[in-house]
Amino acid sequence: MQSYQDLRQIFLNYLNAQTFVHPPQNLYEPFEYIMQLGGKRIRPVLCLMGNQLFEPNEKDALNAALAVEIFHNFSLVHDDFMDEAPLRRNHPTVHTKYGVNSTILSGDIMFAKSYEYLSKIAPNYLPTVLSLFTKTAIEVCEGQQMDMDFEIQNDVGIDAYLKMIELKTSVLLATSLKIGAILGNASDTDAQHLYQFGKNIGIAFQLQDDYLDTYGNKDNFGKKVGGDIAQNKKTFLMLTALEKAEGDVLKELNQLVNSKPKDDQEKIQRVTSI
């Protein structure tokens, strides 16, 4: 088994060999921009890792890994727009740099391109992988809708939150591992075990992300700190605070949660303090 860093470099070499910019430039340039902003590349590396655990099939695994990474970045492009996020990986978000119309259409082309790369894998794997990938794409959209719905709901519980982050975040990590395993001719049992493992680390990843959004360092986090608070996201921290707060503190927190001021810095500071 090669190391995480070695597999990441193998993936980056393949990614950098691709050309995403074609005419019309205004459609493809935002695609190229988000794909070259860096990031941890966890999902594609998990795909390669899942493959290396069994019978390595690098050609198919790389195409599947790139499909997963393109889909992931597509979801970030639209997610940032919906969340009005100004930064992604310490750079302006796509909608901030290119405008709303280009953001929507470039996200659409990324969604299509993810399937184009997935279709490059060997035909004997394609029906199983395509079914899993499509199921996951639908679940990610469902999770994103739940996340937005929760912004205006006051009765969200921890269980509902965990279901939301399972769909929005963790199923894609789980699927990355499982696709790699499928391409390595793993048994159904082993592939499903990897899927469950990926789902669990995805939930842990999102819990940590929630914490960093509130208490992280902006330079390391790469996004606006307090963005979840500004958008009234029902994170694990927020739900726990609402559950444990009492009296005047609970009253203040509820008032803050239900407000959306133009200047959100004071709100972020007050909620962070609570």
Side-chain angles (χ1 to χ4, degrees):
M1 167 69 79
Q2 291 172 279
S3 71
Y4 180 94
Q5 291 301 331
D6 287 343
L7 291 173
R8 184 176 185 272
Q9 191 57 55
I10 289 171
F11 173 74
L12 288 176
N13 292 342
Y14 187 63
L15 170 63
N16 292 333
Q18 311 305 307
T19 301
F20 298 122
V21 177
H22 312 277
Q25 187 172 337
N26 288 338
L27 174 63
Y28 286 100
E29 190 176 311
F31 178 6
E32 174 87 6
Y33 172 75
I34 188 70
M35 292 301 295
Q36 296 300 328
L37 278 189
K40 296 175 284 295
R41 312 296 189 186
I42 288 174
R43 292 154 190 83
V45 173
L46 286 177
C47 184
L48 298 180
M49 281 183 166
N51 183 246
Q52 285 218 336
L53 284 169
F54 303 97
E55 299 173 17
N57 175 3
E58 187 173 278
K59 180 181 177 182
D60 285 342
L62 278 170
N63 279 315
L66 186 52
V68 166
E69 184 68 357
I70 292 173
F71 176 82
H72 170 59
N73 280 274
F74 142 74
S75 71
L76 297 182
V77 167
H78 281 187
D79 189 15
D80 286 342
F81 169 55
M82 287 183 274
D83 289 346
E84 301 175 14
L87 293 174
R88 169 67 62 180
R89 300 166 186 156
N90 279 324
H91 289 79
T93 47
V94 171
H95 68 274
T96 302
K97 185 176 177 67
Y98 294 99
V100 172
N101 291 341
S102 291
T103 296
I104 294 171
L105 202 54
S106 294
D108 292 344
I109 202 71
M110 292 175 73
F111 184 85
K113 280 287 184 180
S114 68
Y115 276 88
E116 182 178 67
Y117 276 98
L118 200 67
S119 71
K120 295 176 185 288
I121 68 176
N124 55 308
Y125 299 115
L126 194 54
T128 302
V129 171
L130 194 59
S131 176
L132 174 60
F133 190 85
T134 302
K135 174 177 177 289
T136 302
I138 291 169
E139 289 175 332
V140 170
C141 293
E142 291 172 347
Q144 175 65 11
Q145 184 63 56
M146 290 174 68
D147 190 25
M148 292 190 297
D149 290 346
F150 288 174
E151 292 176 18
I152 56 173
Q153 291 180 14
N154 294 322
D155 57 348
V156 179
I158 295 293
D159 287 345
Y161 161 83
L162 290 173
K163 182 62 178 178
M164 181 270 289
I165 65 169
E166 174 188 321
L167 295 173
K168 182 181 175 182
T169 301
S170 72
V171 293
L172 190 56
L173 279 82
T175 291
S176 300
L177 275 167
K178 187 172 182 177
I179 287 177
I182 291 169
L183 296 174
N185 295 316
S187 69
D188 290 346
T189 299
D190 285 342
Q192 189 57 34
H193 283 161
L194 278 183
Y195 182 88
Q196 190 60 47
F197 171 74
K199 193 160 70 169
N200 288 337
I201 62 172
I203 291 171
F205 176 88
Q206 187 60 54
L207 287 168
Q208 177 174 295
D209 194 70
D210 286 359
Y211 176 84
L212 291 173
D213 189 277
T214 301
Y215 297 109
N217 177 287
K218 183 177 83 70
D219 293 334
N220 295 331
F221 187 46
K223 296 185 283 185
K224 175 184 175 180
V225 174
D228 285 344
I229 293 171
Q231 289 293 317
N232 296 322
K233 296 288 187 184
K234 299 303 191 299
T235 64
F236 184 80
L237 276 73
M238 178 62 76
L239 294 174
T240 303
L242 287 166
E243 185 179 274
K244 294 184 178 297
E246 297 177 338
D248 290 341
V249 174
L250 178 59
K251 182 179 179 181
E252 180 186 12
L253 187 56
N254 276 317
Q255 289 173 341
L256 290 165
V257 167
N258 291 309
S259 69
K260 202 164 185 179
K262 288 185 177 180
D263 183 2
D264 52 29
Q265 283 307 306
E266 182 181 356
K267 173 179 175 175
I268 291 170
Q269 290 171 2
R270 291 168 68 192
V271 172
T272 298
S273 176
I274 294 173

